[in-house]
Amino acid sequence: MKRDRRVKILATLGPSSSDQTTIEKLFKVGADVFRINMSHTDHALLKTLVKRIRAVEANVERPIGILADLQGPKLRVGTFENKSVVLKEGASFTLDDDTTPGTEERVRLPHPEILSALEPGHRLLLDDGKIKLVVTECDKARAVTRVEIGGKLSDRKGVSVPDTTIPVGALTEKDRKDLDAALDAEVDWIALSFIQRPEDLAEARKVTRGRAGILAKIEKPQAVERIDEIIELSDALMVARGDLGVEMPLEKVPGIQKHITRASRRAGKPVVIATQMLESMITSPVPTRAEVSDVATAVFEGADAIMLSAESAASDFPIEAVSTMNRIAEEVECDPNYANIMHSQRTEPEATGADAISAAARQIAETLKLAAIVCYTSSGATGLRAARERPTTPIIAPSPVVATARRLALVWGTHCVVSEDAKDEDEMVDKASRLAFQDGFARPGQRIIITAGVPFGTPGATNMLRIAFVGSDGLGGI
């Protein structure tokens, strides 16, 4: 199935979209990768969802990516005597390690790691930022705060600490168990939530050992401050704008989104834009004009993927949400400004043979108006390099490794195909021509450009370019 767009769509599965029939419909209207949110998924359901996605994959005969999104450390206040209190602006309110139910003067904060890291002047944002506290004095057992923005606070509401680096890793005990279960289920990507520093990626890397790609979710100011180091150590990134907008001023989020998108593209790492993209479609069959513009902006900026959360997981209109996002992306990519933006942001190739060949393939394909770029890729690195060029020419990425093809389903512009490696150059040309012809990218008489590594089957050895005609039988011509 050939997509008429380059940006990928990542759809979250949930109560509205967990049966196999709906999953297949979501794929057919545009979803390329499915997200399983481990905050709401036990291990039995995880296995069931993966099984259903793989069944759809077999039906449609296309590789489909699966992303398991780990919950990360959830910070919450304790409970209150009367289930809730009203905090008044200017009042004093204490968070402590006392296990007794809370009152209007205090509540338990069952996270000693936060209490020990807080300092006077640090902010605490409660209930998605609706309530704002500022620390006036603190020690390891309590933090006395001043209420700057008051309101109703009820049991177990979330806590954000934008000014505080918490001295714990990004993986909780639940996350470690979920990570093992996701790897056993053979998902393709693992998303790490609430990372603060590059070191937070290390533990997950030790566990995955290359069995899945590591996607770093950027949703804390501390991660933004060290974004270049995090990009270097991750396999992909996600701009998680919901939590980022809680912990940082809302007006800063668009600029951060643009900065991370461009930095990821320069590094050749996939970047996903997520959260509230078509939020109104949870209850409405059509989005707002502002939401359409938001999705379009992410596509114009060159993001690899755009994501739906509750819009596909818990919506009354999951199929319509994916279909709408697909139409918006197709329209943006037809706009004359789109190609100009992709060209203006293009990064110079690194001083490696593989990068030089990928850049040359793009330039030759565009100059000669070739039908497709076919890049044989075993590890996925060649596919990533081809995508970083953001060519106007379609990219076909054959791989003998099923896991590689599934992982590349997240990457901009890559039409992934599972195909055995060629034995020699003639077979390489025939396979590439057949794929371009069968999947609707090239007609007989058109030309394609092929990149590959010799000797064949050697990962990371891209060292050859070849232009070939597609013959009348779909095979390579002279």
Side-chain angles (χ1 to χ4, degrees), residues 189 235 265 267-270 304 358 375 377 379-390 395 397 407-408 411-412 414:
W189 290 94
D235 298 309
R265 182 179 164 191
K269 303 287 179 76
D304 287 80
S358 293
C375 56
T377 181
S379 66
T382 303
L384 286 169
R385 289 189 184 98
R388 186 174 70 170
E389 289 292 314
R390 297 296 192 264
I395 301 168
R407 202 176 296 183
L408 285 173
V411 179
W412 185 97
T414 53

Side-chain angles (χ1 to χ4, degrees), residues 55 63 88 95 97 112 116 119 146-147 178 217 229 262 264 281 310 313 325 333 344 382 396 423:
K88 296 181 179 178
L95 300 110
D97 59 5
S116 61
E119 296 177 8
R146 180 181 66 257
V147 179
D178 289 347
K217 293 171 66 178
E229 298 167 84
R262 294 187 178 191
S264 298
M281 292 195 75
M325 184 170 268
E333 292 180 8
S344 66
T382 303
I396 303 173
K423 297 181 179 63

Side-chain angles (χ1 to χ4, degrees), residues 359-416:
R362 187 268 310 163
Q363 187 174 21
I364 292 167
E366 293 179 349
T367 301
L368 300 181
K369 301 189 185 322
L370 304 183
I373 297 169
V374 182
C375 56
Y376 284 88
T377 181
S378 179
S379 66
T382 303
L384 286 169
R385 289 189 184 98
R388 186 174 70 170
E389 289 292 314
R390 297 296 192 264
T392 57
T393 308
I395 301 168
I396 303 173
S399 178
V401 182
V402 177
T404 295
R406 289 168 174 166
R407 202 176 296 183
L408 285 173
L410 187 71
V411 179
W412 185 97
T414 53
H415 177 81
C416 309

Side-chain angles (χ1 to χ4, degrees), residues 199-462:
E199 295 84 353
D200 289 342
L201 300 167
E203 185 179 354
R205 281 224 173 273
K206 288 178 183 176
V207 177
T208 58
R209 298 193 305 261
R211 290 179 287 168
I214 300 294
L215 182 147
K217 293 171 66 178
I218 308 303
E219 47 199 332
K220 293 186 72 65
Q222 294 86 350
V224 174
E225 291 169 5
R226 303 185 67 180
I227 191 64
D228 290 336
E229 298 167 84
I230 290 171
I231 288 174
E232 185 175 350
L233 293 177
S234 62
D235 298 309
L237 287 95
M238 179 187 292
V239 186
R241 305 177 305 174
D243 285 290
L244 198 57
V246 170
E247 299 216 3
M248 301 189 74
L250 287 171
E251 62 272 17
K252 290 185 177 293
V253 174
I256 291 169
Q257 173 179 320
K258 191 178 290 287
H259 171 70
I260 294 174
T261 302
R262 294 187 178 191
S264 298
R265 182 179 164 191
R266 285 195 300 271
K269 303 287 179 76
V271 60
V272 180
I273 306 301
T275 322
Q276 298 174 327
M277 301 211 80
L278 295 174
E279 186 84 354
S280 66
M281 292 195 75
I282 296 172
T283 56
S284 169
V286 294
T288 66
R289 278 52 169 179
E291 289 167 341
V292 172
S293 294
D294 183 36
V295 173
T297 296
V299 179
F300 270 122
E301 194 58 38
D304 287 80
I306 43 183
M307 190 179 100
L308 295 168
S309 298
E311 302 98 322
S312 60
S315 165
D316 294 332
F317 308 98
I319 308 299
E320 291 84 351
V322 173
S323 179
T324 298
M325 184 170 268
N326 180 73
R327 291 198 308 275
I328 296 167
E330 288 180 350
E331 186 64 28
V332 168
E333 292 180 8
C334 290
D335 191 292
N337 289 315
Y338 180 74
N340 294 336
I341 293 170
M342 293 302 100
H343 175 75
S344 66
Q345 295 179 14
R346 187 166 289 129
T347 303
E348 288 297 312
E350 296 176 12
T352 65
D355 259 46
I357 285 173
S358 293
R362 187 268 310 163
Q363 187 174 21
I364 292 167
E366 293 179 349
T367 301
L368 300 181
K369 301 189 185 322
L370 304 183
I373 297 169
V374 182
C375 56
Y376 284 88
T377 181
S378 179
S379 66
T382 303
L384 286 169
R385 289 189 184 98
R388 186 174 70 170
E389 289 292 314
R390 297 296 192 264
T392 57
T393 308
I395 301 168
I396 303 173
S399 178
V401 182
V402 177
T404 295
R406 289 168 174 166
R407 202 176 296 183
L408 285 173
L410 187 71
V411 179
W412 185 97
T414 53
H415 177 81
C416 309
V417 181
V418 180
S419 174
E420 291 183 6
D421 260 329
K423 297 181 179 63
D424 54 41
E425 191 171 333
D426 287 341
E427 187 179 2
M428 174 195 79
V429 172
D430 283 345
K431 279 179 173 286
S433 299
R434 187 186 301 113
L435 288 172
F437 173 73
Q438 289 177 346
D439 288 1
F441 290 93
R443 300 186 306 274
Q446 290 187 308
R447 291 178 294 174
I448 61 173
I449 190 165
I450 306 162
T451 70
V454 178
F456 294 102
T458 305
T462 302

